[in-house]
């Protein structure tokens, strides 16, 4: 059976791509972010996940305001990146896992999540940069297959935190009912607090970010009780990317423990947070009883 072995959350600020291209990883500004990935590299080397489910928000590369699915799942054999206008390198294509995608789609629809299924998807910085941070020396191929899961965080009305938690739980059930013997890591990319426009542009709320980082491990249901308006007030208008973290955490229904957790602000305009959570899968726990 497929097993979810961990959950990884990270900010996905586009300028990370510029820092990588310039070789700025060890400059004082960038070092705390890049160093946060050192224990993650060791964990990936040891655990060797086969597939990453990447829960993120598309920022207009793939979907735009004319057509905006609330939840979408990729079902392609490969996913291309493209130029979003940030002036950062376009990364090599990412291999998909169509069989697992269709299993997830079947399972999610049966579970009453009427998601948009995508046989072609361009993946933006929120998908590509976290994988590049995980595997800085990979290329032109990546060491694992990927499945994009997109949550609308651009066009209101947005799904609620509670709904994203339930989506994550349904993704967890889908993966753990997949008959192939795969090790799966679930990513939630985005956040934490940031606001890129309007009178509060540059707003960061470190106290709320640290609270989210604590609760995402110990008591994630607390985070599902915030309304979207409350999240925007507390974390800025783009702080709603917290939804991707909540969905990731919903998928981890085993015994969850922190492998590493780092906060550093600002990274560009964002409270930069990186966490890796180990998940002892439900099936493994049951077998041990
Ligand atoms: C920034 C953060 C984001 O999440 C994003 O998608 C784009 C820009 C920033 O802080 O610059
Ligand atoms: Fe973003």
């Amino acid at each position: 059976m497929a097993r979810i072995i961990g959950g990884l959350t990270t900010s996905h600020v586009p300028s990370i791509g510029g820092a990588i291209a310039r070789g700025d990883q060890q400059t004082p500004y960038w070092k705390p972010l890049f160093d946060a990935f050192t224990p993650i590299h060791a964990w990936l080397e040891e655990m060797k996940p086969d597939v990453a489910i990447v829960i993120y928000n598309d920022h207009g590369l793939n979907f735009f305001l004319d057509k905006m699915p609330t939840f979408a799942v990729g079902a392609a054999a490969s996913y291309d990146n493209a130029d979003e206008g940030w002036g950062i390198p376009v990364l090599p294509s990412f291999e998909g896992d169509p069989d697992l995608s269709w299993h997830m789609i079947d399972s999610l629809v049966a579970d009453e999540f009427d998601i948009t299924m995508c046989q072609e998807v361009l993946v933006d910085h929120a998908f590509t940069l976290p994988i590049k941070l995980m595997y800085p020396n990979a290329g032109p191929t990546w060491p694992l297959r990927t499945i994009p899961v997109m949550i609308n965080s651009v066009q209101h009305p947005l799904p609620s935190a509670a709904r994203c938690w339930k989506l994550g739980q349904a993704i967890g059930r889908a993966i753990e009912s997949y008959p192939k013997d795969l090790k799966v890591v679930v990513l939630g990319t985005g956040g934490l607090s940031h606001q890129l426009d309007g009178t509060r542009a540059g707003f960061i709320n470190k106290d709320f970010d640290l609270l989210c980082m604590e609760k995402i491990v110990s008591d994630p249901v607390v985070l599902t009780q915030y309304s979207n308006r409350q999240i925007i007030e507390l974390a800025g208008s783009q702080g709603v990317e917290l939804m991707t973290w909540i969905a990731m955490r919903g998928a981890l229904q085993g015994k969850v423990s922190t492998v590493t957790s780092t906060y550093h602000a600002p990274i560009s305009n964002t409270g930069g947070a990186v966490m890796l959570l180990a998940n002892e899968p439900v099936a493994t726990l049951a077998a041990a009883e």
Side-chain angles (χ1 to χ4, degrees):
M1 297 295 270
R3 290 178 298 133
I4 300 178
I5 58 169
L8 193 154
T9 62
T10 175
S11 307
H12 60 220
V13 175
S15 51
I16 295 166
I20 295 170
R22 291 189 304 274
D24 276 354
Q25 290 92 331
Q26 290 306 306
T27 59
Y29 186 88
W30 287 105
K31 190 172 166 46
L33 173 78
F34 285 96
D35 282 1
F37 278 82
T38 305
I40 296 175
H41 297 156
W43 185 86
L44 290 168
E45 183 58 35
E46 187 195 336
M47 303 301 284
K48 294 190 172 43
D50 302 294
V51 181
I53 310 297
V54 187
I55 305 177
Y56 71 107
N57 57 306
D58 179 81
H59 298 71
L61 178 70
N62 193 75
F63 302 118
F64 203 59
L65 304 181
D66 56 338
K67 298 179 200 73
M68 182 57 70
T70 299
F71 299 127
V73 178
S78 78
Y79 302 98
D80 290 342
N81 183 209
D83 186 0
E84 297 173 69
W86 297 106
I88 62 175
V90 171
L91 291 177
S93 298
F94 298 82
E95 187 185 352
D97 187 332
D99 195 57
L100 177 54
S101 285
W102 285 114
H103 171 83
M104 278 175 58
I105 291 166
D106 279 340
S107 180
L108 288 170
V109 173
D111 239 342
E112 301 181 356
F113 278 91
D114 305 322
I115 44 94
T116 299
M117 49 196 111
C118 307
Q119 300 193 62
E120 274 185 14
V121 194
L122 290 174
V123 289
D124 79 3
H125 65 275
F127 176 104
T128 61
L129 292 176
I131 296 182
K132 182 69 181 166
L133 285 164
M134 287 161 69
Y135 300 106
N137 301 318
T141 59
W142 304 97
L144 81 183
R145 300 187 296 284
T146 57
I147 297 181
V149 175
M150 288 148 281
I151 297 181
N152 167 31
S153 78
V154 174
Q155 166 98 321
H156 290 261
L158 311 180
S160 67
R163 187 71 177 145
C164 293
W165 169 254
K166 287 183 189 152
L167 174 75
Q169 290 179 309
I171 290 172
R173 284 192 290 276
I175 293 165
E176 299 213 350
S177 64
Y178 188 58
K180 284 191 196 162
D181 211 6
L182 294 179
K183 286 183 280 186
V184 177
V185 61
V186 183
L187 274 57
T189 97
L192 285 175
S193 60
H194 60 306
Q195 172 142 348
L196 300 178
D197 46 25
T199 51
R200 289 206 307 166
F203 174 80
I204 289 178
N205 182 346
K206 180 175 178 182
D207 289 343
F208 183 68
D209 289 347
L210 294 178
L211 177 81
C212 290
M213 292 174 76
E214 182 201 325
K215 296 298 179 196
I216 202 82
V217 186
S218 60
D219 195 3
V221 173
V222 166
L223 300 177
T224 70
Q225 288 159 7
Y226 290 104
S227 69
N228 286 341
R229 185 169 284 275
Q230 286 172 320
I231 293 176
I232 289 167
E233 275 167 14
L234 287 162
S237 51
Q238 278 72 45
V240 291
E241 291 178 353
L242 175 64
M243 302 304 177
T244 64
W245 285 48
I246 292 173
M248 174 288 296
R249 183 63 178 84
L252 310 187
Q253 292 295 322
K255 194 170 141 213
V256 172
S257 57
T258 306
V259 178
T260 185
S261 173
T262 311
Y263 184 76
H264 173 63
I267 296 173
S268 189
N269 298 291
T270 297
V274 177
M275 298 182 77
L276 173 61
L277 308 180
N279 181 53
E280 207 174 320
V282 182
T284 315
L285 289 172
E289 271 169 12

